[in-house]
Amino acid sequence: MVKKLVYNWKSWWMSLQKNNYFVLKLGVSFLLVGLAFRLLLNRSSDFPSVSHSPFLENTQISTSSISSVNPRGNIKQITTQEYGIESSDSEGKKCDLFNGDWVPYQEEPLYTNSSCKWIEAHQNCMTNGRPDKDYLYWKWKPRGCELTRVYPEKFLELMRSKTWAFIGDSISRNHVQSFLCVLSTVEKAIEVYHDENYKSRKWIFQSYNFTVSVMWSPFLAEAAIFEDINGVSTSEIELHLDKLDKNWTNIYPTFDYTIFSAGKWFTKSAIYYENNIVLGSHNCPKRNLTELGFNFAYRKVIRNVLDYIFESNHNKGGMVFFRTSTPDHFEGGEWFSGGVCKRKLPAKEGEFQLNVLDRVLRDVEVEEFEKAVVRASDNGVKFRLLDVGPLSLLRPDGHPGPYRFFHPFAKGKSEKVISDCLHWCLPGPIDTWNDILMEMVVNG
């Protein structure tokens, strides 16, 4: 069982306000040295908060055993037997799809940046001028078995008259675009719905009567968010920990396959409610409220989501996935202080550790899903963990970086450009998420 990290969040965030960035980094570094001795295997890096990152915001569509290396102390190993995530080699032996390595791969991606119109401009790295392409030519190879590249036609045939939903934040949107692009190599998806801001959308593959939806619900729970499209906030988020977002619960029973994900948004400043009464907050120093910490809120909401899935008797016979939160790869600073992601190759063992906030998010996820396995079995729910976090940690080369923007260095431009080291280029490493996902569905 993963040990719980205990932080004095109020003190931590007050130091963020009172000290400059360098002093904070130094102070947190010393703190983490102490934590390392105290927590032993639960090591975390001194990565400060990205709670106000503009890359966590939704934007409108514009004209655009887990580790991939030997498991490290800061990555909780989850066996395939626990979650039913299994595949077989040629001799019928079971293997872990999430324990493997990134190996060179010379075949071309299934789709290109120009052949799939569902790629959002911010993730269309090549159109935006990214000059290197080596990041496209790596394959995830589980140890002990072979993960075959998805066969879109076979998958679509299997999915006749089925419905899928990706529910979560902007990484879910990034993921569904990859999913659509892979399948659109067989038949072009047709958009049949979008809301006013393109936050929630629905597509259909007509020949197969197969529908795919993405639903914007960054907390999975009811939340009032006071931010504009640029991420500028006028007030703290008001998050109701005991109320799930009706935008997805109202139609959840119609889905055959559902992929939930959350994480990063919970690190934002928020006031927490239960029974419409304020419980406390996270990072609201100007309010006279109890600092509860975002891990408190994340755990509460995950438990409520799982309770709903297992006790509602909805979606019997379907399959439910929870995709773990994914890391960012800022180096030399954060998004607000010149942090970049310039790498062109996968990382080597030990080069990247989960930052403090990602470590806490992951601890909550792993602990809650360990408890959920038995409940899923008892309630007849096909419940799977899509644990893409650790294998993604080894792909710092897969982000847009400055190429989130169209030709940011054209005509001799030299001004500083904010890098996106959170989302993923398309095509790119997250196409592998779909290789794994579809393998789990076909053989699950």
Side-chain angles (χ1 to χ4, degrees):
M1 176 67 68
V2 178
K3 298 178 182 178
K4 296 181 180 178
L5 294 179
V6 180
Y7 295 93
N8 186 334
W9 294 109
K10 186 172 184 179
S11 175
W12 193 83
W13 281 103
M14 288 297 290
S15 70
L16 181 63
Q17 293 190 329
K18 294 181 179 179
N19 297 286
N20 62 37
Y21 181 73
F22 174 77
V23 174
L24 174 60
K25 291 276 284 190
L26 183 62
V28 175
S29 297
F30 281 114
L31 172 64
L32 290 170
V33 170
L35 285 174
F37 287 101
R38 181 180 177 184
L39 302 175
L40 295 177
L41 294 179
N42 289 326
R43 298 191 296 271
S44 299
S45 71
D46 58 340
F47 220 88
S49 171
V50 294
S51 63
H52 297 287
S53 170
F55 308 125
L56 300 184
E57 320 308 324
N58 182 67
T59 55
Q60 292 185 351
I61 297 297
S62 59
T63 53
S64 74
S65 332
I66 289 177
S67 178
S68 62
V69 295
N70 293 328
R72 297 188 294 279
N74 74 324
I75 301 246
K76 164 67 172 152
Q77 186 169 359
I78 304 174
T79 66
T80 58
Q81 288 74 20
E82 287 180 282
Y83 292 101
I85 303 170
E86 299 178 342
S87 187
S88 300
D89 62 13
S90 58
E91 297 178 355
K93 298 178 182 178
K94 300 296 184 181
C95 83
D96 184 349
L97 293 174
F98 299 103
N99 180 21
D101 305 276
W102 289 101
V103 298
Y105 188 62
Q106 295 304 314
E107 291 189 31
E108 295 293 329
L110 284 175
Y111 64 94
T112 69
N113 65 304
S114 58
S115 68
C116 182
K117 69 177 183 178
W118 303 119
I119 302 174
E120 187 171 344
H122 299 106
Q123 278 77 63
N124 200 328
C125 302
M126 285 184 280
T127 293
N128 289 341
R130 178 168 174 170
D132 63 298
K133 296 183 179 179
D134 287 346
Y135 68 96
L136 297 174
Y137 299 103
W138 294 87
K139 177 184 178 180
W140 179 250
K141 187 182 186 309
R143 296 176 185 149
C145 66
E146 192 69 26
L147 175 65
T148 58
R149 175 181 271 184
V150 63
Y151 294 99
E153 189 169 10
K154 175 182 177 182
F155 185 78
L156 283 170
E157 189 64 42
L158 184 66
M159 291 295 110
R160 281 190 179 276
S161 299
K162 301 294 184 182
T163 58
W164 277 63
F166 293 73
I167 304 173
D169 56 20
S170 58
I171 302 297
S172 288
R173 187 175 66 243
N174 204 174
H175 188 186
V176 79
Q177 291 165 10
S178 169
F179 189 78
L180 291 170
C181 288
V182 168
L183 297 180
S184 288
T185 58
V186 175
E187 177 176 299
K188 303 300 182 185
I190 298 173
E191 186 172 25
V192 293
Y193 168 80
H194 64 76
D195 64 6
E196 182 179 358
N197 294 316
Y198 290 83
K199 290 183 176 181
S200 296
R201 309 173 75 182
K202 182 178 180 179
W203 299 265
I204 186 169
F205 293 86
Q206 287 186 318
S207 296
Y208 299 88
N209 191 31
F210 173 47
T211 59
V212 179
S213 298
V214 62
M215 304 193 67
W216 174 253
S217 186
F219 293 101
L220 303 177
E222 183 179 312
I225 302 172
F226 306 96
E227 295 183 359
D228 63 20
I229 197 168
N230 297 313
V232 178
S233 179
T234 58
S235 184
E236 298 90 350
I237 292 164
E238 297 178 357
L239 178 59
H240 293 263
L241 304 180
D242 58 336
K243 298 179 182 179
L244 296 179
D245 185 356
K246 291 182 180 179
N247 287 326
W248 68 262
T249 59
N250 283 344
I251 56 177
Y252 172 76
T254 69
F255 301 135
D256 296 298
Y257 296 85
T258 312
I259 303 175
F260 293 99
S261 61
K264 294 284 190 180
W265 274 73
F266 281 84
T267 66
K268 288 176 171 282
S269 299
I271 299 171
Y272 301 142
Y273 291 79
E274 202 164 61
N275 296 319
N276 295 319
I277 299 173
V278 175
L279 284 183
S281 67
H282 169 61
N283 188 32
C284 299
K286 295 181 180 180
R287 307 262 189 173
N288 186 24
L289 297 172
T290 303
E291 173 65 36
L292 296 175
F294 67 86
N295 54 337
F296 171 84
Y298 194 37
R299 190 180 302 277
K300 278 264 190 181
V301 171
I302 284 182
R303 286 180 178 177
N304 286 339
V305 171
L306 294 174
D307 285 345
Y308 178 83
I309 292 171
F310 297 147
E311 297 175 6
S312 65
N313 292 318
H314 295 317
N315 210 16
K316 289 286 186 178
M319 186 175 286
V320 180
F321 295 89
F322 197 101
R323 180 181 53 74
T324 53
S325 52
T326 55
D328 57 59
H329 290 94
F330 290 97
E331 294 185 89
E334 314 308 323
W335 70 266
F336 54 83
S337 59
V340 297
C341 41
K342 294 182 177 180
R343 300 201 183 206
K344 299 179 180 180
L345 296 172
K348 296 179 180 179
E349 180 177 355
E351 285 188 74
F352 281 95
Q353 305 292 322
L354 292 177
N355 65 48
V356 171
L357 304 185
D358 286 343
R359 173 70 270 177
V360 175
L361 292 172
R362 181 168 180 81
D363 281 351
V364 171
E365 292 166 353
V366 170
E367 291 169 13
E368 292 308 312
F369 287 110
E370 284 179 336
K371 300 173 186 176
V373 176
V374 174
R375 293 182 64 194
S377 177
D378 291 344
N379 287 274
V381 178
K382 293 181 180 178
F383 179 69
R384 302 289 186 268
L385 191 68
L386 184 62
D387 195 7
V388 300
L391 65 90
S392 301
L393 184 65
L394 274 290
R395 294 306 306 269
D397 55 325
H399 301 288
Y403 298 101
R404 179 177 189 266
F405 305 98
F406 184 75
H407 288 269
F409 307 116
K411 298 181 180 179
K413 290 180 183 178
S414 59
E415 62 266 24
K416 291 183 178 179
V417 177
I418 294 176
S419 291
D420 182 354
C421 304
L422 172 64
H423 296 98
W424 302 88
C425 294
L426 294 177
I430 68 168
D431 294 325
T432 295
W433 298 1
N434 290 314
D435 288 337
I436 296 173
L437 177 63
M438 295 181 189
E439 172 71 17
M440 292 167 69
V441 171
V442 171
N443 295 316

